[in-house]
Amino acid sequence: MHIVVCIKQVPDSAQIRVHPVTNTIMRQGVPTIINPYDLFALEEALKVRDHHGGEVTVLTMGPPMAEEALRKALTYGADRAILLTDRHFAGSDTLATSFALSQAISQIGNSFDTPDIVFTGKQTIDGDTAQVGPGIAKRLNLVQLTYVAKITSIDLSARAITVERRSEGGTHVLKSELPCLITMLEGTTVIRRGSLDDALRAARSEIVKWNAAEAGIEDITKCGLRGSPTVVKRVFAPTPREQKAVQIDTTEKRVHDIANELVASIFTHQPALQHELSSAGSA
Amino acid sequence: MYKAPVDEIAFTLKHVAGMGDALQSGALGDLGEDLVDAILSEAGRFATEEVAPLGDIGDRQGSRLVGGKVQTPDGWRDLYHSWIGGGWNGLTAPEAYGGQNLPHMLHVAAMEMWNAGSMAFALGPTLTMGAIEALEKHGSDALKATYLPKMVSGEWTGTMNLTEPHAGSDLGVLKTRAERRDDGTYRIFGQKIFITWGEHDFTDNIVHLVLARLPDAPAGTKGISLFLVPKFLVKADGSLGERNDLFCHSLEHKLGIHGSPTCTMIYGDGKFGAEKGAVGYLIGEENRGLACMFTMMNNARLAVGMQGVAIADAATQKAIAFAKERTQGKAPGWTGQGMSPIIEHPDVARTLLTMKALTQGSRAISYACAHAVDMAHAAEGEKAKYWQERSSLLTPIAKSFSTDAGVDVASMGIQVHGGMGFIEETGAARYLRDARIAPIYEGTNGIQAIDLVTRKLPLSDGAHVRGFIGELREIASAVRASNRNGFGETAARLDAALDDLSAATEWLIAAVAASKLAEALAGATAYQRLFGLALTGVYLAKGGLAEVSDAKEDQRIALCRFTAENLLAETAALKDRVVNGADSLAVARAVLA
């Protein structure tokens, strides 16, 4: 079994500050982390590998410093790390990124073993588009299982996988064939810790570095800025809408009554919610 | 709950203690910054997620002696096995025996995190590492081959058996005796007290290193030999054989570190085995036992210093979190609704900043000491001598200043919590109870001061300490040259503190040279603290000067200025006590008669 996990190194959004005057993101001194959803994807991939055997390859596209993220992934137990780095990739939007990554995944198939599952995070915390995973699936003609909360089972002999996909108001249980692409939610997992041995192995492992040509990309015009139709028109900090906070005096009324009144007022504004809840209740 | 301050630790290692330069110069082999970060971050996660949550349980339950067996607190056995499973026991251990041979700097940083999670838990591995070091340096090849791999992996633990009821700080009078046997082994008889992790349920075997006296040994410290005495004898194939004639008689009831079983060990009572006497194997040469012990003493003292740093950090984190939540009264300038969080009150803020400064200072001193150990190991000739002297000089300061900081900071932490701090449930009190032993064991802080003044200041006829103070002055000058407003009066305050340090140093060197020992020792503890405070000021300034543009840069400079302008004035009083305190002390002794 061969699993490819696409990860991205992102600025730690908890520590990002927005410049008060220019409204631009102040990246200076902000530490980088592996996109949290990608970490959940990695953890899920490692669990699948631990259970079914095989290898996990982590793939990232980014500047040379993204090597740090790959080493972290190796610390957690990934078997191989590939860094896609080339000045042609600079300025990629989600279209160009999914193109480059899908080409690289094909190349991984040629160079090592055809992947049975490709994992990505649901979305990154810096771009928040959730487009790259589906973009890869489309280009590689893989079944796409998005917003997966749990992998229920994998039957390698039948080439079948069952997952739980979170959706509005419920959970889809999906059975699909392999190979497939999964975009992971936070999952049910806790990210494992690396041991001292793992950290040493990670630091001493070689990271495979591919430029565009090595990744099998022929059409450079589909990469980087040239391959990216998205244009950022404006960046701004939204002004919060004024909201009046209501202070409820709890000395006069019983808590139960207050709760009833609150629920009633919510249903006045959200009639669909009332319908949904009452039908769920009767079922 | 304690969260390992991995970024702060990494910063102090790289930009204050000297790891950055050491990495660049190749003194640390193939170790790179990435690997340092990876190790610190995984160690930090283990300490935060696994060790710290079990700290309180360990304190409440303690280790108990039931039917001759020690039961450790709930969850601790699994914790230990998960910890050795992560490979953490072998961090600095030699590669030949399965260790990773990583620098001491990383070791002390990791130790800080384990100890902050639970000092009582971390003590076990600390003792094992000391035993590994002594055995590796002085044991025979056969002993090393039999015991070291399992001690390095953590499958077996190690202990140090020095103290006896009448032989504490002065081991020369110890009575435990050893008898030779024809097969080259020895039989050990006697009682040892205060044996940390002397008995427990973590592992199948425990390897005791025991100091004892042969029948024909000279009196005093020159007649002490070191023996390896396993709980279970080891067969030729490496499997466990008969139970050796030793057992844990009782556990001490202590002020703190309740999870750590402090054992009274009885050797050669005839309880186990056919022949009376615990089977022991000589480590090193007969009558050279104390020298064997002393090769690891420096590292052991630094390890105890890390306990002080650890407790100080954990107590500070807890106090800051509490002070942000707890609201009482209205602080001056408070414009928010209702009462202000107590952190807004100037006195509480000052207390918290003092806690932070002492924590950071003791951390920097201890890491710098570990750096010197690593450099001494990597260098040759004159350079090796220079770093050897530096680690020798810094060790008593790292041990004493950090462990005093642990107690002081933990006490301040309780103060910040107010009445809640005096209640056990908040957990602030545990830190003070745990911290209190650290200034006592592994050579009391008073003994550290004697060591500093009588053995360390005279190194290279005083040239080493003078040179060191010169290096510290360069940092003070760099602060002045930086022209950064944020430093305030830092440069002038550092100069003044270093003047005090220099004056007290010269006075002491002269006093020792003139054999005025009583006068010199009267002010030794004051001098030790003076040195620690001056180093705190200088190392915080070094951190402030580091050209790392991150979000913490301004904070580092602000804490440095706070320290210089609020804490360093104490150096003048300490110098006065060193230089002028001896006469009045001599006269006032009559009061104690």
Side-chain angles (χ1 to χ4, degrees):
Chain A
M1 178 135 195
H2 187 203
I3 304 169
V4 172
V5 184
C6 301
I7 67 171
K8 185 182 181 188
Q9 189 180 45
V10 295
D12 186 352
S13 58
Q15 299 194 43
I16 280 184
R17 290 162 299 161
V18 176
H19 195 281
V21 180
T22 61
N23 270 336
T24 51
I25 290 173
M26 294 163 69
R27 285 179 191 272
Q28 197 191 28
V30 178
T32 55
I33 54 172
I34 297 178
N35 176 45
Y37 290 109
D38 300 348
L39 268 185
F40 288 115
L42 174 64
E43 176 63 36
E44 210 61 40
L46 293 171
K47 273 167 77 179
V48 171
R49 178 204 61 187
D50 294 346
H51 195 254
H52 295 278
E55 282 190 323
V56 171
T57 300
V58 277
L59 169 69
T60 194
M61 183 175 96
M65 68 174 280
E67 193 177 319
E68 193 187 318
L70 290 174
R71 290 209 188 274
K72 192 97 190 164
L74 289 172
T75 303
Y76 292 141
D79 302 284
R80 180 187 298 115
I82 297 175
L83 173 62
L84 209 53
T85 189
D86 194 315
R87 61 186 174 80
H88 290 302
F89 297 143
S92 295
D93 67 1
T94 56
L95 191 76
T97 302
S98 39
F99 170 74
L101 287 176
S102 59
Q103 295 286 104
I105 292 168
S106 299
Q107 188 73 327
I108 289 171
N110 298 335
S111 308
F112 307 103
D113 196 6
T114 311
D116 300 287
I117 306 177
V118 176
F119 275 99
T120 71
K122 172 190 78 162
Q123 64 192 57
T124 59
I125 56 167
D126 59 346
D128 278 331
T129 66
Q131 291 168 350
V132 171
I136 295 169
K138 176 72 186 157
R139 284 177 176 77
L140 294 177
N141 204 20
L142 295 171
V143 177
Q144 55 169 302
L145 304 170
T146 55
Y147 298 102
V148 170
K150 189 181 175 188
I151 295 174
T152 321
S153 69
I154 292 175
D155 184 345
L156 275 181
S157 55
R159 305 285 297 158
I161 182 168
T162 312
V163 301
E164 289 184 8
R165 174 187 197 270
R166 199 179 300 158
S167 67
E168 274 178 55
T171 299
H172 294 147
V173 177
L174 303 175
K175 191 170 179 184
S176 169
E177 61 188 18
L178 297 174
C180 67
L181 180 138
I182 291 174
T183 80
M184 274 306 292
L185 292 175
E186 57 274 24
T188 50
T189 49
V190 175
I191 309 295
R192 66 190 59 197
R193 276 186 308 275
S195 69
L196 179 59
D197 290 353
D198 290 330
L200 288 163
R201 183 181 59 83
R204 288 162 186 167
S205 312
E206 200 186 334
I207 304 273
V208 181
K209 286 175 192 155
W210 282 349
N211 59 24
E214 286 160 331
I217 297 171
E218 287 164 7
D219 190 353
I220 286 299
T221 61
K222 287 187 178 169
C223 295
L225 213 50
R226 279 197 287 174
S228 300
T230 313
V231 177
V232 177
K233 195 176 167 195
R234 189 162 73 97
V235 177
F236 63 96
T239 42
R241 275 176 293 184
E242 262 186 62
Q243 294 250 332
K244 214 191 251 174
V246 184
Q247 203 160 12
I248 300 171
D249 185 3
T250 54
T251 51
E252 296 293 315
K253 293 179 187 169
R254 287 175 53 229
V255 175
H256 191 76
D257 297 333
I258 296 170
N260 275 337
E261 279 174 31
L262 276 175
V263 171
S265 92
I266 289 169
F267 285 161
T268 314
H269 293 99
Q270 306 269 349
L273 185 65
Q274 183 176 18
H275 179 72
E276 211 172 285
L277 284 176
S278 58
S279 58
S282 61
Chain B
M1 180 68 79
Y2 170 74
K3 185 169 187 293
V6 173
D7 292 344
E8 222 162 79
I9 286 173
F11 177 88
T12 309
L13 279 175
K14 292 178 200 165
H15 301 288
V16 181
M19 183 189 257
D21 293 340
L23 284 173
Q24 282 205 331
S25 70
L28 303 178
D30 72 341
L31 187 72
E33 207 166 314
D34 282 356
L35 181 54
V36 169
D37 291 341
I39 292 172
L40 291 177
S41 123
E42 293 309 309
R45 277 189 67 197
F46 194 97
T48 306
E49 295 169 13
E50 301 285 318
V51 185
L54 289 174
D56 274 336
I57 291 174
D59 181 54
R60 281 200 304 275
Q61 291 185 347
S63 279
R64 294 140 291 171
L65 187 65
V66 183
K69 291 182 176 169
V70 170
Q71 286 176 6
T72 52
D74 291 349
W76 277 35
R77 191 175 187 280
D78 290 343
L79 173 65
Y80 177 75
H81 285 278
S82 162
W83 185 79
I84 60 170
W88 299 110
N89 197 52
L91 194 81
T92 45
E95 271 174 315
Y97 301 102
Q100 299 293 0
N101 198 26
L102 286 163
H104 208 59
M105 276 182 277
L106 272 175
H107 178 53
V108 296
M111 290 231 293
E112 178 192 324
M113 298 191 260
W114 316 135
N115 275 293
S118 170
M119 180 172 149
F121 175 80
L123 262 169
T126 305
L127 268 295
T128 301
M129 283 166 211
I132 290 172
E133 199 179 343
L135 186 54
E136 202 250 334
K137 291 219 170 82
H138 304 286
S140 67
D141 289 344
L143 275 184
K144 287 198 258 191
T146 307
Y147 291 93
L148 277 181
K150 290 193 165 150
M151 291 171 78
V152 168
S153 71
E155 192 178 333
W156 298 344
T157 61
T159 70
M160 293 293 180
N161 289 235
L162 284 72
T163 308
E164 296 178 11
H166 53 282
S169 297
D170 189 349
L171 292 167
V173 296
L174 64 80
K175 284 181 180 162
T176 296
R177 60 195 172 85
E179 292 176 5
R180 295 181 189 92
R181 288 290 180 269
D182 293 340
D183 62 357
T185 64
Y186 296 77
R187 293 295 176 275
I188 313 294
F189 306 86
Q191 186 197 128
K192 292 284 179 182
I193 62 166
F194 299 168
I195 307 310
T196 302
W197 287 94
E199 174 64 33
H200 57 77
D201 55 7
F202 283 2
T203 57
D204 296 337
N205 205 4
I206 302 172
V207 182
H208 302 286
L209 299 198
V210 183
L211 287 181
R213 188 181 291 285
L214 285 158
D216 50 1
T221 52
K222 291 193 171 123
I224 295 172
S225 306
L226 179 63
F227 299 92
L228 184 153
V229 190
K231 179 177 168 186
F232 284 94
L233 300 175
V234 181
K235 292 187 203 159
D237 65 357
S239 64
L240 294 185
E242 271 180 57
R243 172 76 189 250
N244 205 356
D245 190 14
L246 62 97
F247 67 97
C248 167
H249 173 269
S250 54
L251 297 185
E252 303 294 347
H253 301 280
K254 310 186 293 290
L255 177 65
I257 52 169
H258 291 154
S260 162
T262 305
C263 307
T264 296
M265 301 297 296
I266 309 287
Y267 292 87
D269 197 46
K271 191 168 177 171
F272 298 99
E275 181 199 359
K276 205 170 169 183
V279 177
Y281 310 94
L282 183 71
I283 295 177
E285 293 170 32
E286 287 184 354
N287 300 329
R288 297 278 299 150
L290 218 51
C292 297
M293 277 289 177
F294 268 97
T295 54
M296 48 137 282
M297 202 63 100
N298 273 351
N299 287 351
R301 287 178 169 174
L302 179 55
V304 172
M306 294 324 300
Q307 296 172 352
V309 179
I311 297 277
D313 191 51
T316 304
Q317 286 190 26
K318 192 177 237 343
I320 290 176
F322 180 83
K324 283 179 176 169
E325 290 279 323
R326 172 75 170 171
T327 57
Q328 284 293 285
K330 282 190 196 297
W334 173 250
T335 53
Q337 282 197 338
M339 298 189 287
S340 46
I342 60 170
I343 200 168
E344 299 293 333
H345 291 281
D347 183 62
V348 175
R350 169 188 296 278
T351 305
L352 291 169
L353 284 166
T354 304
M355 293 165 76
K356 249 197 133 45
L358 291 174
T359 305
Q360 303 262 38
S362 52
R363 176 183 286 137
I365 294 168
S366 303
Y367 289 3
C369 183
H371 170 250
V373 172
D374 286 328
M375 295 306 287
H377 189 67
E380 286 172 2
E382 275 302 301
K383 279 208 163 147
K385 178 174 176 249
Y386 167 88
W387 286 114
Q388 185 59 51
E389 293 192 344
R390 177 62 48 86
S391 77
S392 295
L393 176 67
L394 283 176
T395 299
I397 305 169
K399 196 273 177 179
S400 64
F401 189 77
S402 303
T403 55
D404 283 343
V407 174
D408 294 345
V409 170
S411 180
M412 285 185 241
I414 292 181
Q415 192 69 19
V416 169
H417 282 75
M420 298 305 291
F422 199 64
I423 307 291
E424 286 289 354
E425 278 77 359
T426 50
R430 163 164 75 101
Y431 291 130
L432 181 61
R433 290 188 289 97
D434 284 356
R436 195 58 191 83
I437 183 62
I440 299 170
Y441 57 21
E442 211 55 54
T444 65
N445 285 3
I447 288 177
Q448 303 302 322
I450 298 173
D451 178 49
L452 175 64
V453 167
T454 62
R455 294 202 195 95
K456 305 305 169 62
L457 293 189
L459 287 171
S460 292
D461 293 327
H464 189 84
V465 67
R466 290 187 184 109
F468 185 36
I469 295 172
E471 291 171 33
L472 301 176
R473 286 194 187 279
E474 285 173 24
I475 295 169
S477 305
V479 172
R480 179 166 286 115
S482 79
N483 270 328
R484 286 188 67 147
N485 283 336
F487 278 117
E489 293 296 311
T490 299
R493 300 301 181 108
L494 288 179
D495 283 345
L498 292 171
D499 286 346
D500 292 332
L501 177 61
S502 195
T505 304
E506 293 305 331
W507 191 90
L508 284 169
I509 289 176
V512 171
S515 297
K516 291 192 197 163
L517 208 55
E519 287 86 343
L521 295 186
T525 290
Y527 176 71
Q528 190 165 245
R529 177 155 186 87
L530 162 54
F531 215 139
L533 267 181
L535 284 173
T536 295
V538 172
Y539 283 146
L540 287 177
K542 194 175 175 192
L545 288 166
E547 287 178 10
V548 183
S549 53
D550 59 14
K552 295 277 174 66
E553 196 180 7
D554 293 342
Q555 288 187 20
R556 284 193 292 268
I557 292 174
L559 184 65
C560 164
R561 181 183 166 192
F562 169 84
T563 306
E565 296 180 17
N566 285 273
L567 305 186
L568 287 195
E570 196 186 325
T571 59
L574 289 165
K575 183 205 86 177
D576 187 49
R577 202 181 304 165
V578 173
V579 175
N580 298 316
D583 287 352
S584 60
L585 172 70
V587 173
R589 290 174 84 121
V591 178
L592 304 174

